[in-house]
Amino acid sequence: MVSIVLASHGKFAEGIMESGQMIFGPQKDVAAVTLTPDMGPDDLKAKLKDAVASFDEQEHVLFFVDLWGATPFNQVNGLLASEGHEDWVMVTGLNLPMLIQAYGDRLSEDTAAAIAKDIFTEAKNGIRIKPEELEPEEAAPAAAAAPAAAPTGAIPEGTVIGDGQIKIVFARVDTRLLHGQVATTWTKSANPDRIIVCSDGVAKDQLRKTMIIQAAPPGVHVHVVPIKKVCELAKDPRFGNTRAMLLFETPQDALRAIEGGVPIKKLNLGSMAHSVGKVVVTNALAMDQADVDTLNKIKAQGVEFDIRKVPADKAESYDAIIKKAEDNLAAQADNK
């Protein structure tokens, strides 16, 4: 796996490393190197070398630096010229979107050079303005060929595309629905072409619906539909080539979808928020008796559970989680 060094003025590198781990989970072979006011260039160079020496993988190293031409840049540049391996690469303008993209890319890419090329666009796309009309329009490349005309009209009902079976590549229960961890880590892991938020309440809430759609990761369509609609989509042969990620706000919604014919074989439990009457089971999951009963009904349908917030986390045991929830609920009842 490609190793990563984050280098910056002050504690920026440490902060962005912490932010990245909040979204993507703990990362191996990643180090933050900071330049403080009491340090000279040689001190920073020594810290950079120590960081690389701490990695298991030292042949493939990607350096993220905050500013082009400043001291961290100069010292990394010197390392690349004097001591670097063939696949030591530096990228400046460090931001969180590029770091998250790099974390995802190094799961499949073997070289720092390949990751550097891939994250360049992501780093630029991470710079947005709200309201959108303030964003300058990008001029189309002069030599660009005219795009082919997009097909018009709806696909006739009954048309069979592919094998006529929608592909559920990932299904998750998450109170927050579409947010950073889902839009980055799980999207890269599951590689869907559509994210479908399945919720009666959100489908009726135009503001919340709009905010979720605007949070779509690049290249992935996001739809917000009621539970009945996702059950219909699961039976529609026009979605045979669709790779769908399904997001449910509650296990009750997930059960309704499963009972309605949505072919979910594995369900990720990512986040279930605490509220009155619920007990804390993990740092991400809180349940009441209705939740426990619902999850057991889902299991009875033959669905496998994947209990973790991000792909890098170790999956927890379903039986252990349910037992802890039942024990805590019993203790809560005894204390009343």
Side-chain angles (χ1 to χ4, degrees):
M1 180 178 286
V2 174
S3 300
I4 297 175
V5 175
L6 311 175
S8 72
H9 296 76
K11 295 185 177 181
F12 172 58
E14 295 176 352
I16 201 169
M17 183 170 74
E18 181 180 357
S19 297
Q21 291 184 351
M22 285 182 64
I23 295 172
F24 216 96
Q27 296 294 305
K28 180 183 177 183
D29 285 349
V30 178
V33 176
T34 60
L35 175 65
T36 57
D38 59 325
M39 290 171 54
D42 290 341
D43 299 319
L44 181 62
K45 183 177 181 180
K47 289 178 69 174
L48 290 166
K49 293 173 69 173
D50 288 345
V52 174
S54 71
F55 298 147
D56 292 337
E57 173 57 71
Q58 299 177 19
E59 294 291 325
H60 306 280
V61 182
L62 183 58
F63 294 85
F64 285 126
V65 178
D66 54 0
L67 292 173
W68 181 282
T71 299
F73 168 88
N74 292 333
Q75 294 309 308
V76 172
N77 201 30
L79 280 182
L80 266 58
S82 63
E83 303 181 33
H85 295 270
E86 183 177 343
D87 192 45
W88 281 22
V89 179
M90 174 170 55
V91 181
T92 63
L94 172 59
N95 64 23
L96 190 55
M98 75 158 68
L99 179 59
I100 296 303
Q101 180 73 29
Y103 284 167
D105 282 359
R106 70 181 192 148
L107 297 175
S108 57
E109 298 286 359
D110 295 326
T111 68
I115 295 176
K117 290 178 181 178
D118 191 47
I119 65 174
F120 190 74
T121 299
E122 184 69 20
K124 294 195 297 181
N125 289 343
I127 302 171
R128 301 294 305 275
I129 299 176
K130 190 73 176 180
E132 290 90 341
E133 59 265 23
L134 297 179
E135 292 185 4
E137 294 185 9
E138 292 190 12
T152 59
I155 300 173
E157 189 173 344
T159 302
V160 178
I161 295 180
D163 62 3
Q165 301 293 317
I166 192 170
K167 312 301 181 295
I168 310 299
V169 296
F170 184 69
R172 176 179 172 100
V173 173
D174 191 323
T175 306
R176 296 177 291 171
L177 294 172
L178 182 57
H179 57 94
Q181 289 175 343
V182 175
T184 54
T185 61
W186 286 112
T187 300
K188 295 184 194 324
S189 174
N191 192 31
D193 50 47
R194 293 175 191 268
I195 296 175
I196 304 177
V197 173
C198 313
S199 168
D200 292 351
V202 180
K204 297 175 182 177
D205 187 335
Q206 190 58 46
L207 176 59
R208 196 173 174 199
K209 181 177 177 179
T210 300
M211 292 177 66
I212 286 175
I213 292 173
Q214 289 180 342
V220 181
H221 299 287
V222 174
H223 309 272
V224 180
V225 302
I227 303 299
K228 180 180 179 181
K229 182 65 175 178
V230 76
C231 295
E232 294 172 357
L233 295 178
K235 301 179 180 72
D236 193 327
R238 290 174 292 183
F239 291 88
N241 282 342
T242 297
R243 293 175 54 83
M245 172 187 285
L246 306 185
L247 301 177
F248 300 96
E249 200 168 14
T250 67
Q252 287 76 17
D253 283 349
L255 177 61
R256 286 176 56 205
I258 293 166
E259 292 178 336
V262 179
I264 295 173
K265 303 301 181 185
K266 179 183 287 188
L267 182 64
N268 171 256
L269 298 184
S271 172
M272 294 170 60
H274 184 269
S275 60
V276 176
K278 297 197 176 192
V279 294
V280 174
V281 184
T282 72
N283 62 354
L285 302 177
M287 302 178 190
D288 57 19
Q289 191 59 52
D291 294 326
V292 171
D293 294 342
T294 299
L295 293 171
N296 283 330
K297 288 179 181 178
I298 292 174
K299 185 180 181 182
Q301 295 276 348
V303 176
E304 179 184 349
F305 285 94
D306 175 25
I307 305 175
R308 50 184 172 154
K309 290 190 293 184
V310 294
D313 289 344
K314 181 179 179 181
E316 301 189 57
S317 162
Y318 173 79
D319 291 338
I321 289 292
I322 292 299
K323 184 179 186 307
K324 184 176 180 181
E326 291 175 334
D327 290 347
N328 289 354
L329 286 166
Q332 177 178 266
D334 291 341
N335 291 331
K336 287 185 178 179

